[in-house]
Amino acid sequence: MIRSVVEGCGAYLPERVVTNEELARKVDTSDEWIVQRTGIRTRHIAAEGEFTSHLATRAASRALERAGMAASAIDMIVLATSTPDQTFPATATAVQANLGLTRGAAFDVQAVCSGFVYGLAVADSMIRNGMAGTALVIGAETFSRILDWNDRSTCVLFGDGAGAVVLRAGHGQGTPDDRGILASTLHSDGRQHDLLYVDGGPSTTRTAGYLRMQGREVFKHAVTNLAAVVGETLNKAGLKPEAIDWLVPHQANKRIIDGTGRKLGLSSDKVVLTVDRHANTSAASIPLALDAAVADGRIRRGHVVLLEAMGGGLTWGANLIRW
Ligand code: ACO
């Protein structure tokens, strides 16, 4: 059977680093409050004129380099983002042009913080159906542009960045020993729309609007939904939690991540954590964390890697990969 094998990953963070202390000079907050409640210490913020497509292109170029592949070998670009350059066309088409690609397909996927998990699942299905032999899956965001910088309950939580992986069709035996994406699960529940949304858009207010969130409610759903979707995904692949070498969770909040790790019985040294340095970069957070753990040699060929995320919608999901 066909399996979508990860050939390489890459990431990009804007140069400017903003500390909790710097935010505490603008809104009524403190480093202590932010670290205690979220684990976040710093975040990167895009420069003026630096757009989601720019971050995405840099991450994609690095992923291609690591995969040893030319951009011209890519059949499909799937870009997960909730902060596109424009309402349309898809930011993926800007990345396609930046990479000098003139063939194949490019489109965006919008599932907020679950976007990368959704994007991987979509690309994997298309590779397994024979629609594409290779794919770039990117998560890229400039959440700094949709934050209300006077709202201390949200502006301290997010950052900008991008990460990408290159997938290529490979062959497996249909067992958990195959390299590639072993299983994915996607869920959403639109009744929970009001817990996390942006209060604007082209069809309603014409302008982009600002992020609004009921943090405590989102927190409760995250812990329950993530534990369930992880179990569901492991079952599909016929694996037990003990088989996981690395948990690479969406980096929203250290307390949510610790909770999921505990439910899986994983020791904290098997959980990749970047939320302290990156804050919540929405769809970019998982590929940014993946890139960090691959670059420093933690994630290696043959390892079982579990990705999970929850975000606005609500949406949530997981992918299980043998690296
Ligand atoms: N600094 C200081 N005080 C603050 C701040 C801040 N930045 N933000 C809120 N507070 C205050 C509130 O005003 C409130 O004060 P009050 O008691 O006088 O009214 C108090 O702190 C407690 O506020 P809560 O919102 O109840 O605090 P909580 O312990 O729930 O922590 C947090 C808030 C960190 C947002 C938490 O709920 C959370 O992490 N939720 C998950 C949200 C999330 O990660 N969303 C990301 C997208 S979804 C996802 O990726 C999973």
Side-chain angles (χ1 to χ4, degrees):
M1 69 179 289
I2 298 175
R3 294 283 199 192
S4 308
V5 177
V6 179
E7 293 284 339
C9 59
Y12 178 75
L13 288 158
E15 234 168 76
R16 183 159 175 247
V17 175
V18 174
T19 61
N20 292 343
E21 286 85 359
E22 189 176 339
L23 291 180
R25 290 197 287 274
K26 292 178 184 152
V27 289
D28 182 15
T29 189
S30 65
D31 177 56
E32 194 194 356
W33 192 95
I34 301 171
V35 172
Q36 212 171 56
R37 305 282 174 127
T38 70
I40 298 166
R41 293 179 187 277
T42 58
R43 71 283 293 140
H44 291 250
I45 301 292
E48 208 178 318
E50 192 173 36
F51 304 144
T52 295
S53 62
H54 299 141
L55 310 187
T57 303
R58 284 185 179 241
S61 300
R62 288 179 182 173
L64 285 166
E65 210 175 290
R66 300 248 175 79
M69 275 166 73
S72 56
I74 292 297
D75 296 335
M76 182 170 69
I77 299 175
V78 182
L79 172 59
T81 189
S82 314
T83 45
D85 290 7
Q86 293 168 290
T87 300
F88 79 79
T91 302
T93 59
V95 176
Q96 183 190 30
N98 292 345
L99 293 174
L101 262 171
T102 51
R103 61 171 202 90
F107 57 93
D108 291 356
V109 163
Q110 215 275 46
V112 204
C113 300
S114 316
F116 188 76
V117 167
Y118 268 65
L120 262 192
V122 168
D124 175 42
S125 319
M126 292 177 76
I127 285 175
R128 284 187 291 108
N129 281 331
M131 292 266 300
T134 55
L136 252 175
V137 183
I138 310 167
E141 303 279 15
T142 46
F143 257 51
S144 60
R145 307 262 153 75
I146 54 164
L147 294 177
D148 175 351
W149 287 99
N150 296 312
D151 176 10
R152 68 175 181 174
S153 70
T154 52
C155 77
V156 302
L157 302 175
F158 297 89
D160 301 335
V165 299
V166 176
L167 298 178
R168 190 204 294 268
H171 289 281
Q173 307 302 313
T175 74
D177 293 331
D178 293 347
R179 278 192 75 209
I181 298 176
L182 300 174
S184 294
T185 310
L186 304 179
H187 288 294
S188 60
D189 182 353
R191 291 172 304 173
Q192 313 296 346
H193 167 280
D194 292 351
L195 298 187
L196 180 51
Y197 61 96
V198 168
D199 61 3
S203 175
T204 49
T205 58
R206 295 195 191 184
T207 54
Y210 292 114
L211 183 147
R212 306 292 174 205
M213 179 173 71
Q214 296 178 38
R216 192 157 281 210
E217 284 305 308
V218 171
F219 194 101
K220 278 191 227 154
H221 283 278
V223 176
T224 318
N225 290 343
L226 291 172
V229 79
V230 159
E232 211 179 333
T233 310
L234 283 166
N235 278 342
K236 280 185 192 170
L239 289 176
K240 299 256 181 284
E242 304 84 84
I244 299 170
D245 293 298
W246 295 103
L247 173 66
V248 185
H250 167 50
Q251 308 282 320
N253 182 307
K254 188 172 181 304
R255 290 186 297 151
I256 297 176
I257 295 173
D258 288 347
T260 311
R262 264 198 306 275
K263 284 206 165 153
L264 284 168
L266 289 180
S267 65
S268 58
D269 56 0
K270 287 191 161 192
V271 181
V272 178
L273 205 69
T274 51
V275 69
D276 53 336
R277 290 172 286 144
H278 301 167
N280 183 348
T281 57
S282 190
S285 93
I286 290 177
L288 273 164
L290 267 179
D291 183 69
V294 170
D296 67 19
R298 275 177 290 172
I299 296 179
R300 294 192 301 275
R301 192 183 169 116
H303 279 172
V304 172
V305 181
L306 181 74
L307 319 181
E308 48 86 338
M310 194 192 85
L314 295 177
T315 57
W316 65 103
N319 318 102
L320 193 64
I321 305 171
R322 187 174 292 280
W323 206 255

